[in-house]
Amino acid sequence: MIKDNLIRIRQTIPAPTRLIAVSKTKPVADLQEAYDAGQRLFGENKALEMRDKHAVLPDDIEWHFIGHLQSNKVKYIAPFVALIHSIDSLAILQTVDREAAKHDRTIDCLLQFHIATEETKFGLDQQEAEQLLSHCDDLHHVRIVGVMGMATNTDDRTLIRSEFHTLKAIFDHLRQRFFADRPYFCEISMGMSGDYDLAIQEGSTLVRVGSAIFGARNYANVND
Ligand SMILES: *Cc1c(COP(=O)(O)O)cnc(C)c1O
C-alpha cells in the first residue's frame, strides 16, 4: 500500500520539486517499505525518534528535520541531518552551528515562516527574518538555503493558496536582498498531503507528505 501510494503521488510531482516522506510516528518497517520503493528523503519531527530511525535504516537516506527544534536536542541529529526546516530564532541557529562544528559539518537550514492564520504555528515574520539574517555572518557551520511554511489547516483552498503565495514572495524578497549571488538559496518547503498540489503551483521545491503515503497517524502513545 505504501508503495502504491508513493508511485501514485510521485506521478503528480513534477521535477524539480522533491518529495519528502513524512514518517513521524510510523514504525521502521513502514520507512523500509518506502525505501524499497525508491524513496530516499524522509521527514521527522522529533529528534530522538529521528536519531533512532537513522541508526537502523540505510545510510543513503536524506533525513529532513521538520518539527520544532529544542536547543538541547540538536546534538542528537547534528551528526547526520541533511536539512533542518524549522529555524525560527537566531539562538537555535547558533546552537545548530555549534553542534555542526563539533562534527566538522555545515548543516543546511531553512527559515520557518508563520504564514497561517492560526496562532499556534511556529515561525518568523519577514522583519524577524531580516533581523536574523543581518546577524548570522559569523556562523560558518550552517547555511541558510531557503524557507519553509505551513498553511492554515482549512478547507479554504483560496486561503491556502494565498498563504503559499505569501511564502514565495518572502523567499523572492530575501533572495534579492541577502542571497543575490548565492544560488544555493533555492528551496521553498511547502505543501502537505492535503495541499501539496497548490504548493507546487505556487513554487514549492520540497513537499512534505505524510498521511497520503503512510496512512493516518496514531498519536495514542506519542507526546505530540
Ligand atoms: C506532519 C507534518 C507534515 C505531513 O503532514 P500530512 O498532512 O500527514 O501530509 C508536513 N509538515 C510538517 C511540518 C509536519 O509536522
Side-chain angles (χ1 to χ4, degrees), residues 115-127:
I115 54 170
T117 54
E118 291 121 338
E119 282 296 320
T120 51
K121 296 207 167 128
F122 295 104
L124 305 159
D125 61 29
Q126 185 171 297
Q127 200 186 340

PDB file of all heavy atoms in Angstrom, residues 115-127:
ATOM      1  N   ILE A 115       2.920  31.668   8.255  1.00  0.00           N
ATOM      2  CA  ILE A 115       2.072  32.174   7.162  1.00  0.00           C
ATOM      3  C   ILE A 115       0.609  31.869   7.413  1.00  0.00           C
ATOM      4  O   ILE A 115      -0.265  32.363   6.710  1.00  0.00           O
ATOM      5  CB  ILE A 115       2.502  31.589   5.791  1.00  0.00           C
ATOM      6  CG1 ILE A 115       2.529  30.063   5.828  1.00  0.00           C
ATOM      7  CG2 ILE A 115       3.862  32.137   5.383  1.00  0.00           C
ATOM      8  CD1 ILE A 115       2.715  29.411   4.454  1.00  0.00           C
ATOM      9  N   ALA A 116       0.318  31.021   8.402  1.00  0.00           N
ATOM     10  CA  ALA A 116      -1.062  30.594   8.660  1.00  0.00           C
ATOM     11  C   ALA A 116      -1.789  31.607   9.538  1.00  0.00           C
ATOM     12  O   ALA A 116      -1.166  32.441  10.198  1.00  0.00           O
ATOM     13  CB  ALA A 116      -1.066  29.226   9.338  1.00  0.00           C
ATOM     14  N   THR A 117      -3.112  31.496   9.548  1.00  0.00           N
ATOM     15  CA  THR A 117      -3.896  32.399  10.396  1.00  0.00           C
ATOM     16  C   THR A 117      -3.933  31.903  11.844  1.00  0.00           C
ATOM     17  O   THR A 117      -4.213  32.673  12.750  1.00  0.00           O
ATOM     18  CB  THR A 117      -5.350  32.518   9.877  1.00  0.00           C
ATOM     19  OG1 THR A 117      -5.896  31.202   9.761  1.00  0.00           O
ATOM     20  CG2 THR A 117      -5.382  33.186   8.523  1.00  0.00           C
ATOM     21  N   GLU A 118      -3.630  30.621  12.062  1.00  0.00           N
ATOM     22  CA  GLU A 118      -3.653  30.105  13.432  1.00  0.00           C
ATOM     23  C   GLU A 118      -2.553  30.737  14.272  1.00  0.00           C
ATOM     24  O   GLU A 118      -1.452  30.997  13.799  1.00  0.00           O
ATOM     25  CB  GLU A 118      -3.455  28.580  13.450  1.00  0.00           C
ATOM     26  CG  GLU A 118      -4.614  27.803  12.870  1.00  0.00           C
ATOM     27  CD  GLU A 118      -4.190  26.941  11.703  1.00  0.00           C
ATOM     28  OE1 GLU A 118      -3.136  27.257  11.102  1.00  0.00           O
ATOM     29  OE2 GLU A 118      -4.913  25.996  11.377  1.00  0.00           O
ATOM     30  N   GLU A 119      -2.838  30.917  15.545  1.00  0.00           N
ATOM     31  CA  GLU A 119      -1.864  31.474  16.488  1.00  0.00           C
ATOM     32  C   GLU A 119      -0.766  30.462  16.793  1.00  0.00           C
ATOM     33  O   GLU A 119       0.355  30.823  17.101  1.00  0.00           O
ATOM     34  CB  GLU A 119      -2.563  31.827  17.812  1.00  0.00           C
ATOM     35  CG  GLU A 119      -3.346  33.115  17.770  1.00  0.00           C
ATOM     36  CD  GLU A 119      -2.455  34.322  17.537  1.00  0.00           C
ATOM     37  OE1 GLU A 119      -1.351  34.354  18.124  1.00  0.00           O
ATOM     38  OE2 GLU A 119      -2.851  35.208  16.773  1.00  0.00           O
ATOM     39  N   THR A 120      -1.116  29.179  16.739  1.00  0.00           N
ATOM     40  CA  THR A 120      -0.269  28.170  17.358  1.00  0.00           C
ATOM     41  C   THR A 120       0.969  27.814  16.542  1.00  0.00           C
ATOM     42  O   THR A 120       1.901  27.250  17.085  1.00  0.00           O
ATOM     43  CB  THR A 120      -1.062  26.881  17.587  1.00  0.00           C
ATOM     44  OG1 THR A 120      -1.695  26.527  16.365  1.00  0.00           O
ATOM     45  CG2 THR A 120      -2.131  27.090  18.649  1.00  0.00           C
ATOM     46  N   LYS A 121       0.969  28.107  15.253  1.00  0.00           N
ATOM     47  CA  LYS A 121       2.096  27.608  14.461  1.00  0.00           C
ATOM     48  C   LYS A 121       3.344  28.462  14.650  1.00  0.00           C
ATOM     49  O   LYS A 121       3.277  29.680  14.720  1.00  0.00           O
ATOM     50  CB  LYS A 121       1.683  27.496  13.001  1.00  0.00           C
ATOM     51  CG  LYS A 121       0.583  26.446  12.873  1.00  0.00           C
ATOM     52  CD  LYS A 121       0.520  25.769  11.530  1.00  0.00           C
ATOM     53  CE  LYS A 121      -0.380  24.537  11.642  1.00  0.00           C
ATOM     54  NZ  LYS A 121      -1.422  24.497  10.625  1.00  0.00           N
ATOM     55  N   PHE A 122       4.466  27.801  14.726  1.00  0.00           N
ATOM     56  CA  PHE A 122       5.741  28.478  14.933  1.00  0.00           C
ATOM     57  C   PHE A 122       6.155  29.225  13.676  1.00  0.00           C
ATOM     58  O   PHE A 122       5.674  28.952  12.589  1.00  0.00           O
ATOM     59  CB  PHE A 122       6.829  27.450  15.261  1.00  0.00           C
ATOM     60  CG  PHE A 122       6.599  26.735  16.551  1.00  0.00           C
ATOM     61  CD1 PHE A 122       6.136  25.425  16.570  1.00  0.00           C
ATOM     62  CD2 PHE A 122       6.862  27.369  17.761  1.00  0.00           C
ATOM     63  CE1 PHE A 122       5.919  24.752  17.771  1.00  0.00           C
ATOM     64  CE2 PHE A 122       6.649  26.703  18.957  1.00  0.00           C
ATOM     65  CZ  PHE A 122       6.178  25.394  18.956  1.00  0.00           C
ATOM     66  N   GLY A 123       7.087  30.149  13.832  1.00  0.00           N
ATOM     67  CA  GLY A 123       7.679  30.738  12.650  1.00  0.00           C
ATOM     68  C   GLY A 123       7.918  32.226  12.772  1.00  0.00           C
ATOM     69  O   GLY A 123       7.355  32.913  13.624  1.00  0.00           O
ATOM     70  N   LEU A 124       8.772  32.700  11.877  1.00  0.00           N
ATOM     71  CA  LEU A 124       9.177  34.099  11.824  1.00  0.00           C
ATOM     72  C   LEU A 124       8.229  34.899  10.946  1.00  0.00           C
ATOM     73  O   LEU A 124       7.522  34.337  10.113  1.00  0.00           O
ATOM     74  CB  LEU A 124      10.574  34.191  11.212  1.00  0.00           C
ATOM     75  CG  LEU A 124      11.699  33.382  11.858  1.00  0.00           C
ATOM     76  CD1 LEU A 124      12.835  33.192  10.855  1.00  0.00           C
ATOM     77  CD2 LEU A 124      12.189  34.070  13.116  1.00  0.00           C
ATOM     78  N   ASP A 125       8.262  36.226  11.087  1.00  0.00           N
ATOM     79  CA  ASP A 125       7.720  37.077  10.028  1.00  0.00           C
ATOM     80  C   ASP A 125       8.914  37.664   9.262  1.00  0.00           C
ATOM     81  O   ASP A 125      10.077  37.436   9.628  1.00  0.00           O
ATOM     82  CB  ASP A 125       6.767  38.142  10.567  1.00  0.00           C
ATOM     83  CG  ASP A 125       7.432  39.108  11.537  1.00  0.00           C
ATOM     84  OD1 ASP A 125       8.659  39.347  11.404  1.00  0.00           O
ATOM     85  OD2 ASP A 125       6.733  39.619  12.419  1.00  0.00           O
ATOM     86  N   GLN A 126       8.622  38.389   8.197  1.00  0.00           N
ATOM     87  CA  GLN A 126       9.708  38.830   7.321  1.00  0.00           C
ATOM     88  C   GLN A 126      10.706  39.726   8.052  1.00  0.00           C
ATOM     89  O   GLN A 126      11.923  39.603   7.865  1.00  0.00           O
ATOM     90  CB  GLN A 126       9.133  39.561   6.105  1.00  0.00           C
ATOM     91  CG  GLN A 126      10.196  39.945   5.101  1.00  0.00           C
ATOM     92  CD  GLN A 126       9.599  40.460   3.806  1.00  0.00           C
ATOM     93  OE1 GLN A 126       8.903  39.737   3.115  1.00  0.00           O
ATOM     94  NE2 GLN A 126       9.872  41.710   3.493  1.00  0.00           N
ATOM     95  N   GLN A 127      10.191  40.596   8.901  1.00  0.00           N
ATOM     96  CA  GLN A 127      11.071  41.519   9.621  1.00  0.00           C
ATOM     97  C   GLN A 127      12.006  40.764  10.562  1.00  0.00           C
ATOM     98  O   GLN A 127      13.203  41.057  10.646  1.00  0.00           O
ATOM     99  CB  GLN A 127      10.200  42.497  10.407  1.00  0.00           C
ATOM    100  CG  GLN A 127      10.928  43.761  10.798  1.00  0.00           C
ATOM    101  CD  GLN A 127      10.055  44.635  11.698  1.00  0.00           C
ATOM    102  OE1 GLN A 127       8.837  44.492  11.728  1.00  0.00           O
ATOM    103  NE2 GLN A 127      10.683  45.515  12.440  1.00  0.00           N
TER     104      GLN A 127
END
